Structure formats: structure tokens, C-alpha cells
Amino acid sequence: MFILIGLIVSSQELPPIIKYSSAVYGAGNQNWMISQDDKNYLYFANNDGLLEYNGTSWQLYPGPNETIVRSVKVIGSRIYTGSYMNFGYWTRNTNGRLKYTSLSDDIKDKILDDEQFWNILKYDQWILFQSLNRIYIYDTKTKKMEIVAPKNGVIKSFAQKNAIYFQTMKEGLFEIESGEAKLV
């Protein structure tokens, strides 16, 4: 009986946890968000850019304009990132390195001064980039951009199975329907 209990207890050990210092991974000491692709590569929104870990080695890709990358989300074969006054996606080129494409360059005049993008969501064909002031909705089929700009900013946004919600100060919880904010 005791042998059986010992076997059960030892079979439920946790995998080892390895802590990497910024000196080991060669980037800034703050990681803001993490995402994983279907090959189990990990991507970190880091103070020095987009940090990639393939299980063996680390690779740092400086962010657009060499700014802090605040958010990251792998969606299909693209790695979407949000940073200081810029958002877009990374794709792997023929030599295996990541190349950045900005989605916000086309709407630079609409981005607010000092705006940073803290969250990225996917809903059907749309990719949403959330700052503390607005939500930018990119339609991957039409390549068009819509902007939801609540008067009291955006505290948090999140995706549910059939909807996108966001919270504002003083107003409450909103749902995005057809590119418009509707108070829930």
C-alpha cells in the first residue's frame, strides 16, 4: 500500500522551472506579454523589442523605431505586436528571420501623441489593438481600419466566444458591434 502511494506522489512532480536573467536572453529586464506559436516558439513583448525563444536560443528583434514592445499575440503565421505609437505584425522570411510590417503607418495622423498599445485581440477576421484611449480594428480581409474612441478611454478589453468587450472609467462595460461601441 505504501509503495503505491509513493509511486502516485512521485509521478505528480512538476516540470522543472528555469529562470533566465536578462543577461542570458540579451534583452531588457521587463517583459510585458507572452504568446506562443504552433511550433512552441515563445514570443515576449520586451523593453528592447520582440524577443523570440525557440527552446534552445534567444533572438531579439528591435521594435519599430526601437521602442518598447508592450503587447504580442501570435495569430496564424503572424506575430502581432503593439508598441509606442505603432502596431503591426512580423512574418518569417526565407532565411528564417522575422520581418516587421507596420499597420499603423497608414494612419499615423490618427494615432494620438504618446499612444501605446497594450493589448491585442482576435475576433473572426478582425485584429484589435487596444491603447489606453482607443481600440483600432484591422479587417484582415478588406485591409481597412476602424477606430473605437470612447470618451473616457479603455481600461481593459477582452474577447469572448461571440463578442469583444471593453471597460471604461465611469461609463461601464461596452460591447463592440459592427465597429461601434454599445453600452452593456
Side-chain angles (χ1 to χ4, degrees):
M1 176 94 165
F2 293 108
I3 295 171
L4 181 60
I5 293 171
L7 289 174
I8 292 171
V9 170
S10 68
S11 67
Q12 293 182 0
E13 288 182 30
L14 296 174
I17 296 173
I18 301 169
K19 181 180 176 185
Y20 295 100
S21 70
S22 60
V24 171
Y25 58 74
N29 64 356
Q30 283 186 294
N31 294 299
W32 298 96
M33 191 176 279
I34 184 172
S35 192
Q36 185 174 7
D37 70 10
D38 59 355
K39 294 179 183 173
N40 295 322
Y41 282 33
L42 296 173
Y43 299 93
F44 301 85
N46 182 275
N47 273 10
D48 288 347
L50 176 65
L51 185 58
E52 175 186 62
Y53 182 61
N54 66 10
T56 304
S57 61
W58 297 91
Q59 179 67 48
L60 176 65
Y61 297 92
N65 304 322
E66 297 188 9
T67 61
I68 296 172
V69 174
R70 298 287 190 189
S71 55
V72 61
K73 184 166 188 77
V74 175
I75 300 169
S77 63
R78 292 180 174 177
I79 303 139
Y80 289 88
T81 57
S83 59
Y84 176 79
M85 297 187 67
N86 201 300
F87 56 84
Y89 62 88
W90 303 76
T91 52
R92 203 164 299 282
N93 60 23
T94 55
N95 69 2
R97 295 196 41 85
L98 294 176
K99 179 183 181 285
Y100 183 73
T101 302
S102 176
L103 295 172
S104 58
D105 280 353
D106 292 338
I107 58 163
K108 271 186 178 178
D109 58 326
K110 293 181 172 49
I111 292 179
L112 302 175
D113 286 341
D114 297 326
E115 197 166 17
Q116 299 189 55
F117 297 92
W118 292 92
N119 197 13
I120 302 168
L121 302 169
K122 179 188 184 327
Y123 182 76
D124 288 336
Q125 71 199 46
W126 298 280
I127 309 296
L128 293 83
F129 298 88
Q130 179 222 315
S131 73
L132 297 179
N133 301 85
R134 300 169 161 184
I135 297 174
Y136 295 75
I137 305 169
Y138 175 69
D139 188 323
T140 59
K141 290 185 179 177
T142 66
K143 312 292 187 226
K144 295 198 177 182
M145 191 80 64
E146 296 287 329
I147 301 171
V148 175
K151 62 182 174 186
N152 289 316
V154 180
I155 296 173
K156 179 72 177 160
S157 61
F158 52 96
Q160 291 298 315
K161 189 175 186 177
N162 297 317
I164 295 284
Y165 296 95
F166 67 90
Q167 180 183 1
T168 66
M169 290 291 284
K170 300 178 186 174
E171 292 177 279
L173 184 67
F174 288 82
E175 180 179 355
I176 298 177
E177 290 181 6
S178 303
E180 300 289 323
K182 306 284 183 196
L183 183 63
V184 176

